[in-house]
Structure formats: C-alpha cells, structure tokens
Amino acid sequence: MPVGSGAQKVMSDVPTDKSAEWEDAARLAGRIVQPGPDVSKAKAIETVEVLRSSAQKAAPLAAKLSKMQAADGRTINAHTLSRVYVVDRPSWALGAARSIHQMLRLDTQEPIPGEPDASDIASGVELTAVLTFLSRKTLGQFDPFGPSMGAAVTGPAWPLSTADPRGNLLLVAPNILATQRAMVVDFEDFALWVALHEQTHALQFAAAPWLPQYLQGLTNDLITAFPTEGRLRDWSRSAASVLRGGNSIVDSILTAEQSEIFAKITTAMSILEGHADVIMDLVSSRDIANVAVLRRKFNSRRTSSTKRGDLIMRLSGMNAKMDQYRNGAKFVRAVRRRVGIQGVNALWQSPEHLPTPAELDSPADWVARVVK
C-alpha cells in the first residue's frame, strides 16, 4: 500500500462555496499525483508512528536549542506547539489549498468592482499543476493559517482560538520515506531532523503571534496593487508556464511598488527558513545520533537538487531573489556570532524587528538598530 494511504483520515468536511474551486483543484491534484513508495501495511503503520513520535520529540528540542518561548506563556512540550498530522500526498494538497484559502481570507473579503480580488489569483488548472508538483516534493510544512485538518471550513481560521492557539504541522509520509531511502540514512534520525525543522517554524509563530497577520497583509497588498484583475490573472497563469520551463514571473509583471512589497515578503520568508536551518545546525549527536552524516548527505542532496530548487523558485517568482533567500541563514548565523541566540530572538518581538531587505545583507546594521 502507498505509505500514508489510509493510515489517518484527516479530511472529512464539505467545502464552502468560496473555497470549492480551490479544494476541487487540490482533489484533482491528489488523483493525478503518484502515491509514492509502495510498502506493506505494517511498514506504512510503522512509518506513521515514527513520524508522529518524531514530531512530539522535536517540539521540546526546538525550544531547547533556540531558547525561544511562546508569547502567550504556554509551556512548550510535545502537545502544546502544533497539531501534528502524518499525511499522504493527496491530503497534503488539500491541506495546502485550504491554507492558501485562509491566508488570502477569501471568506472575509468583499470584492470591489474593477479592482483585483484574491479569488482570481489562480484558476483550477494552474492551482492543480502547482499542487501536483509540490505534493511530490514537500517533506513537511507548518501551517499557521489552516483550520484543524479534521474540521469543516466554515469561516476564517485566524486569529486562532485562544483555547487552541496551535497551527497544523504536516509531515508527508511518502516523501519523507522516499527521500530517506534515496539518502540511505537512518529513518528515525531523518524523521526527527525533518520534524525539528517544522517544529522550529511552529515555535517561530508561537513566539511571534503577529506573523500571520503580517504575511496576510503583505500578500493582500501585493494582490490589490495589480492595476487590473486581468493583470493578476496573467501573473497567476504564468505559473503553469513556469512549470514547463518558462521564465520568472516577477520582473516582467510586478510594478515597482509590488517589487518592494515582494522584497519584504522574501525577507520575512528568508528569516523563517534561515532561522530554522540555524537551529538544525545546533543539533548535536546527543540529540540525533548520526547528525553529522545527515548534515553531509542532506547538503549534498541540496546541491544536486539545484535544478529542481530553481524550478520551485521560478514558480514562486523568487528565482531572482535566490541569493537573498539563502542569505537568511547567513544573516542569522552572523547575528548569533555577534549577540548570541538570545540576540537572534529579538527578531520575533514585532514586525519592526524583522530586518529590512538591505539589512538582510548587513547583519551588523540590524544588530545596531534592534539589539544595540
């Protein structure tokens, strides 16, 4: 059986009207994509159990290595940081579509005649192509926007309930298993490695509860800055062309105003990913026995996957910003050398504490402005 298939029922609701096209595209992507490694039922169950256990272990480990705390004061442990789901590829695609739906606030925004609307950002064809492609590549994802994977989508999911402030952590079982086999590393070590990266993202959002609204606002500003709905549709439709090897969609379509907004989005995402990479760097053999082997093989795999990574970056319109994106880890490492990990954690205090695009290339300027 395909690993992850039938191991956990996580999608059971009926879509709302505004999200129907998005969820239909995701379900079509789930039917198109290959299920992944074919394993025995016993192996599938074992894989799911290891991934769930790894996610629980990773939560306190992320807190220990990062020295971060949740803004609401909750103790970080195996059950308080995120809602953990081990999913197959179709379930990931549906969860991703819901997350996009919530991030763009399609249930709460009223269209303004003549102005771009978030619901026009992609047709079913483009969204299906994107979700099909990424559902084969994504190992894990932390989603602060989506509702509980077992709950119906009945309205906006953000801000999260104070009774349950956790987001969703998705581990894509077939992709993790396929990657582990290709790398020829210990599965339990690799599962914890991947889970640590995603739980670090969960901790970032727990430490900075303003982050979802900040990213939502920038995304909304980017969309509404298109001069016409047609121009927005041109931008989204070009994603399908990019998947066939087309050129970047940013430089030729975005205005100067939008380029500035996009630079802020890129900078924020650079910090989120770069910080998670740095926390993974701090792992010792006491935490993951074969971490040195993992680092070496994972870095080698990243190098050999350049073409695939470039494709994803082109799809996202970020290939022209590739150096800046990679600079996120360089920035965090440089700040840590200057002011330690506690100084790094000043990043999560407010939107103003994020580096500007210029400061991303000049960590000393950020330290002088924020940490002092």
Side-chain angles (χ1 to χ4, degrees), residues 4 38 86 130 154 181 195 205 219 275 294 323 370:
D38 193 12
V86 179
V130 171
T154 57
R181 288 177 170 180
F205 283 87
T219 303
H275 176 263
L294 273 178
D323 288 340
V370 174

Side-chain angles (χ1 to χ4, degrees), residues 95-354:
R98 286 182 167 183
S99 178
I100 297 169
H101 168 261
Q102 292 290 346
M103 182 177 180
L104 297 178
R105 297 178 294 182
L106 298 185
D107 280 316
T108 61
Q109 290 189 344
E110 291 296 329
I112 300 175
E115 292 190 11
D117 177 73
S119 63
D120 292 321
I121 196 169
S123 72
V125 174
E126 287 86 40
L127 188 58
T128 297
V130 171
L131 292 175
T132 301
F133 179 79
L134 293 180
S135 67
R136 293 184 290 111
K137 308 300 180 184
T138 302
L139 300 180
Q141 175 183 344
F142 177 71
D143 170 22
F145 296 103
S148 169
M149 296 282 281
V153 179
T154 57
W158 192 264
L160 295 174
S161 167
T162 54
D164 186 3
R166 302 169 299 168
N168 297 328
L169 190 151
L170 279 62
L171 296 174
V172 190
N175 296 350
I176 294 174
L177 183 61
T179 302
Q180 173 263 330
R181 288 177 170 180
M183 291 174 60
V184 194
V185 293
D186 180 81
F187 183 72
E188 290 190 10
D189 284 353
F190 186 62
L192 183 54
W193 180 262
V194 173
L196 174 62
H197 185 94
E198 301 309 326
Q199 289 286 35
T200 299
H201 286 318
L203 189 51
Q204 291 164 348
F205 283 87
W210 48 266
L211 258 174
Q213 294 97 322
Y214 176 75
L215 294 173
Q216 279 182 328
L218 288 176
T219 303
N220 185 67
D221 290 345
L222 180 69
I223 292 171
T224 57
F226 280 98
T228 65
E229 291 180 355
R231 193 66 167 168
L232 172 59
R233 285 193 292 270
D234 288 343
W235 180 65
S236 62
R237 286 169 180 164
S238 64
S241 173
V242 170
L243 281 174
R244 296 191 294 269
N247 295 323
S248 168
I249 62 177
V250 170
D251 295 335
S252 61
I253 294 180
L254 297 185
T255 64
E257 176 191 0
Q258 289 173 310
S259 294
E260 290 183 7
I261 297 169
F262 196 80
K264 292 180 180 179
I265 295 173
T266 305
T267 297
M269 298 306 297
S270 297
I271 292 301
L272 292 173
E273 291 298 329
H275 176 263
D277 276 355
V278 170
I279 298 307
M280 293 172 75
D281 287 344
L282 300 179
V283 173
S284 72
S285 58
R286 293 189 301 274
D287 301 312
I288 300 180
N290 299 298
V291 66
V293 175
L294 273 178
R295 282 197 186 98
R296 175 170 53 81
K297 292 196 172 186
F298 199 72
N299 288 338
S300 175
R301 182 175 176 84
R302 275 184 171 178
T303 300
S304 66
S305 301
T306 299
K307 288 186 178 180
R308 182 172 71 239
D310 286 348
L311 180 60
I312 293 173
M313 298 304 278
R314 285 206 314 274
L315 175 64
S316 304
M318 293 171 65
N319 63 309
K321 303 290 186 180
M322 191 69 172
D323 288 340
Q324 184 184 34
Y325 193 76
R326 287 171 175 160
N327 278 349
K330 294 180 181 178
F331 173 92
V332 175
R333 290 187 183 108
V335 171
R336 179 172 171 264
R337 285 193 298 269
R338 286 175 176 269
V339 294
I341 198 67
Q342 295 288 16
V344 170
N345 290 339
L347 285 164
W348 316 115
Q349 293 180 13
S350 71
E352 292 74 26
H353 279 208
L354 287 175

